Amino acid sequence: MHTQSCVEIKNEWNIVQARQLGRELSKELGFQTVDQARITTAISELARNIYLYANDGIITVEPFNNMGKLGLKVVSSDKGPGIKDIRKAMEDGYTTSGGLGAGLPGVKRLMDEFKIHSQEGSGTEIVAIKWLR
Ligand SMILES: Nc1ncnc2c1ncn2[C@@H]1O[C@H](COP(=O)(O)OP(=O)(O)OP(=O)(O)O)[C@@H](O)[C@H]1O
Ligand SMILES: [Mg+2]
Protein backbone atom coordinates (compact mmCIF):
# COMPACT_ATOMS: atom_id res chain seq x y z
CA MET A 1 0.00 0.00 0.00
CA HIS A 2 3.04 2.24 0.48
CA THR A 3 3.21 3.28 -3.10
CA GLN A 4 3.34 6.57 -4.87
CA SER A 5 0.01 8.08 -5.74
CA CYS A 6 -0.81 11.11 -7.76
CA VAL A 7 -3.72 13.33 -8.62
CA GLU A 8 -4.00 15.36 -11.75
CA ILE A 9 -5.14 18.86 -10.84
CA LYS A 10 -7.57 20.23 -13.38
CA ASN A 11 -10.47 21.44 -11.28
CA GLU A 12 -11.37 22.34 -7.72
CA TRP A 13 -12.59 18.85 -6.91
CA ASN A 14 -9.10 17.52 -7.72
CA ILE A 15 -7.73 19.83 -5.00
CA VAL A 16 -9.99 18.06 -2.50
CA GLN A 17 -8.82 14.67 -3.81
CA ALA A 18 -5.16 15.64 -3.43
CA ARG A 19 -5.84 16.72 0.16
CA GLN A 20 -7.55 13.40 0.88
CA LEU A 21 -4.63 11.49 -0.58
CA GLY A 22 -2.22 13.42 1.65
CA ARG A 23 -4.42 12.83 4.67
CA GLU A 24 -4.61 9.08 4.03
CA LEU A 25 -0.92 8.56 3.41
CA SER A 26 0.21 10.74 6.31
CA LYS A 27 -2.13 8.85 8.62
CA GLU A 28 -0.92 5.52 7.29
CA LEU A 29 2.71 6.51 7.81
CA GLY A 30 1.95 7.41 11.42
CA PHE A 31 2.06 11.20 11.41
CA GLN A 32 0.32 12.85 14.34
CA THR A 33 -2.90 14.75 13.72
CA VAL A 34 -1.19 18.15 13.73
CA ASP A 35 1.38 17.05 11.16
CA GLN A 36 -1.37 15.44 9.07
CA ALA A 37 -3.04 18.85 9.01
CA ARG A 38 0.22 20.59 8.09
CA ILE A 39 0.74 18.18 5.21
CA THR A 40 -2.80 18.48 3.88
CA THR A 41 -2.70 22.27 4.12
CA ALA A 42 0.58 22.34 2.19
CA ILE A 43 -0.85 20.04 -0.49
CA SER A 44 -3.93 22.22 -0.69
CA GLU A 45 -1.88 25.37 -1.32
CA LEU A 46 0.29 23.69 -3.96
CA ALA A 47 -2.74 22.23 -5.74
CA ARG A 48 -4.54 25.56 -5.61
CA ASN A 49 -1.55 27.27 -7.18
CA ILE A 50 -1.49 24.71 -9.99
CA TYR A 51 -5.18 25.24 -10.62
CA LEU A 52 -4.90 29.04 -10.50
CA TYR A 53 -1.68 29.71 -12.35
CA ALA A 54 -0.90 26.69 -14.51
CA ASN A 55 -4.41 25.37 -15.25
CA ASP A 56 -3.30 21.83 -14.77
CA GLY A 57 -0.53 19.79 -13.27
CA ILE A 58 0.12 16.89 -10.95
CA ILE A 59 0.44 16.41 -7.21
CA THR A 60 2.33 13.31 -6.15
CA VAL A 61 2.59 12.01 -2.60
CA GLU A 62 4.86 9.17 -1.60
CA PRO A 63 6.69 7.74 1.38
CA PHE A 64 10.30 8.85 1.43
CA ASN A 65 13.21 7.12 3.10
CA ASN A 66 16.57 8.82 3.53
CA MET A 67 19.03 6.47 5.21
CA GLY A 68 16.41 5.14 7.57
CA LYS A 69 14.77 8.49 8.16
CA LEU A 70 11.17 8.17 7.05
CA GLY A 71 9.03 10.94 5.68
CA LEU A 72 6.36 11.90 3.24
CA LYS A 73 7.30 13.60 0.01
CA VAL A 74 4.97 15.88 -1.90
CA VAL A 75 5.79 16.88 -5.46
CA SER A 76 3.86 19.52 -7.34
CA SER A 77 4.62 19.82 -11.01
CA ASP A 78 3.12 21.71 -13.86
CA LYS A 79 3.98 22.96 -17.31
CA GLY A 80 2.42 26.35 -16.72
CA PRO A 81 3.91 29.81 -17.17
CA GLY A 82 6.53 29.33 -14.45
CA ILE A 83 7.61 31.90 -11.88
CA LYS A 84 9.75 34.80 -13.02
CA ASP A 85 11.20 35.77 -9.65
CA ILE A 86 11.22 32.85 -7.21
CA ARG A 87 12.74 34.92 -4.41
CA LYS A 88 9.83 37.35 -4.61
CA ALA A 89 7.26 34.57 -4.87
CA MET A 90 8.62 33.15 -1.60
CA GLU A 91 8.04 36.44 0.24
CA ASP A 92 5.04 36.72 2.54
CA GLY A 93 2.43 38.86 0.86
CA TYR A 94 3.74 38.58 -2.70
CA THR A 95 0.91 37.76 -5.08
CA THR A 96 0.13 38.30 -8.73
CA SER A 97 -3.52 37.39 -8.35
CA GLY A 98 -4.78 39.56 -5.52
CA GLY A 99 -4.44 36.62 -3.12
CA LEU A 100 -2.80 36.77 0.28
CA GLY A 101 0.58 35.72 -1.02
CA ALA A 102 0.78 33.29 1.87
CA GLY A 103 0.68 30.00 -0.02
CA LEU A 104 4.29 29.27 -0.92
CA PRO A 105 5.93 30.73 2.21
CA GLY A 106 3.28 28.84 4.17
CA VAL A 107 4.16 25.54 2.51
CA LYS A 108 7.82 26.13 3.31
CA ARG A 109 7.01 26.70 6.97
CA LEU A 110 4.63 23.75 7.22
CA MET A 111 7.02 21.24 5.70
CA ASP A 112 10.62 20.36 6.72
CA GLU A 113 12.28 20.43 3.31
CA PHE A 114 11.28 22.67 0.45
CA LYS A 115 12.75 23.03 -3.01
CA ILE A 116 11.37 24.97 -5.91
CA HIS A 117 12.47 24.89 -9.51
CA SER A 118 10.77 27.09 -11.99
CA GLN A 119 11.53 28.55 -15.33
CA GLU A 120 9.51 31.17 -17.06
CA GLY A 121 7.64 29.57 -19.91
CA SER A 122 8.31 25.97 -18.98
CA GLY A 123 6.68 25.29 -15.66
CA THR A 124 7.22 24.79 -11.98
CA GLU A 125 8.26 21.89 -9.79
CA ILE A 126 8.11 22.01 -6.02
CA VAL A 127 9.36 19.21 -3.78
CA ALA A 128 8.49 19.28 -0.10
CA ILE A 129 9.19 16.69 2.58
CA LYS A 130 7.84 16.22 6.08
CA TRP A 131 9.87 13.94 8.35
CA LEU A 132 8.19 11.54 10.67
CA ARG A 133 8.97 12.41 14.29
N1 LIG B 1 2.49 26.74 -10.02
C1 LIG B 1 2.68 28.06 -10.26
N2 LIG B 1 2.87 28.48 -11.55
C2 LIG B 1 3.08 29.79 -11.80
N3 LIG B 1 3.13 30.76 -10.87
C3 LIG B 1 2.96 30.40 -9.59
C4 LIG B 1 2.71 29.03 -9.21
N4 LIG B 1 2.59 28.98 -7.86
C5 LIG B 1 2.74 30.23 -7.43
N5 LIG B 1 2.96 31.10 -8.45
C6 LIG B 1 3.21 32.56 -8.35
O1 LIG B 1 3.74 32.84 -7.06
C7 LIG B 1 2.92 33.80 -6.40
C8 LIG B 1 2.91 33.50 -4.91
O2 LIG B 1 2.19 32.28 -4.66
P1 LIG B 1 1.47 32.09 -3.26
O3 LIG B 1 0.77 30.79 -3.28
O4 LIG B 1 2.51 32.32 -2.20
O5 LIG B 1 0.44 33.30 -3.16
P2 LIG B 1 -0.95 33.49 -3.93
O6 LIG B 1 -1.34 32.23 -4.62
O7 LIG B 1 -0.82 34.70 -4.79
O8 LIG B 1 -1.95 33.81 -2.74
P3 LIG B 1 -2.52 32.75 -1.65
O9 LIG B 1 -1.88 31.42 -1.94
O10 LIG B 1 -2.10 33.29 -0.32
O11 LIG B 1 -3.99 32.75 -1.87
C9 LIG B 1 1.57 33.71 -7.08
O12 LIG B 1 0.84 34.92 -6.98
C10 LIG B 1 1.96 33.41 -8.53
O13 LIG B 1 2.34 34.56 -9.22
MG1 LIG C 1 -1.33 30.38 -3.62
Side-chain angles (χ1 to χ4, degrees):
M1 203 160 165
H2 284 200
T3 49
Q4 167 190 309
S5 5
C6 54
V7 178
E8 190 174 358
I9 307 296
K10 284 181 161 174
N11 56 50
E12 285 174 271
W13 167 239
N14 300 143
I15 301 174
V16 178
Q17 290 178 311
R19 282 181 67 99
Q20 281 170 353
L21 199 63
R23 170 85 61 191
E24 279 162 25
L25 184 61
S26 57
K27 215 173 183 172
E28 194 183 312
L29 290 175
F31 283 95
Q32 293 179 354
T33 321
V34 177
D35 275 348
Q36 288 176 29
R38 289 187 175 111
I39 291 164
T40 49
T41 303
I43 290 173
S44 205
E45 290 300 327
L46 294 172
R48 216 157 54 84
N49 282 352
I50 290 177
Y51 174 67
L52 278 177
Y53 307 114
N55 281 315
D56 72 286
I58 295 173
I59 295 280
T60 303
V61 294
E62 58 187 321
F64 186 73
N65 189 329
N66 183 26
M67 296 190 292
K69 201 159 111 179
L70 191 65
L72 182 150
K73 177 159 102 171
V74 179
V75 181
S76 161
S77 66
D78 67 65
K79 295 194 181 346
I83 300 174
K84 199 194 288 185
D85 189 337
I86 292 177
R87 210 163 50 99
K88 258 194 182 156
M90 291 308 300
E91 281 172 13
D92 271 306
Y94 177 82
T95 179
T96 57
S97 66
L100 288 177
L104 289 178
V107 172
K108 188 173 182 180
R109 280 190 291 264
L110 291 165
M111 302 293 283
D112 295 322
E113 316 278 341
F114 181 94
K115 271 190 195 132
I116 176 165
H117 295 283
S118 188
Q119 209 163 24
E120 229 191 335
S122 59
T124 302
E125 184 180 81
I126 295 162
V127 179
I129 297 170
K130 191 81 188 163
W131 298 114
L132 199 56
R133 285 179 293 153

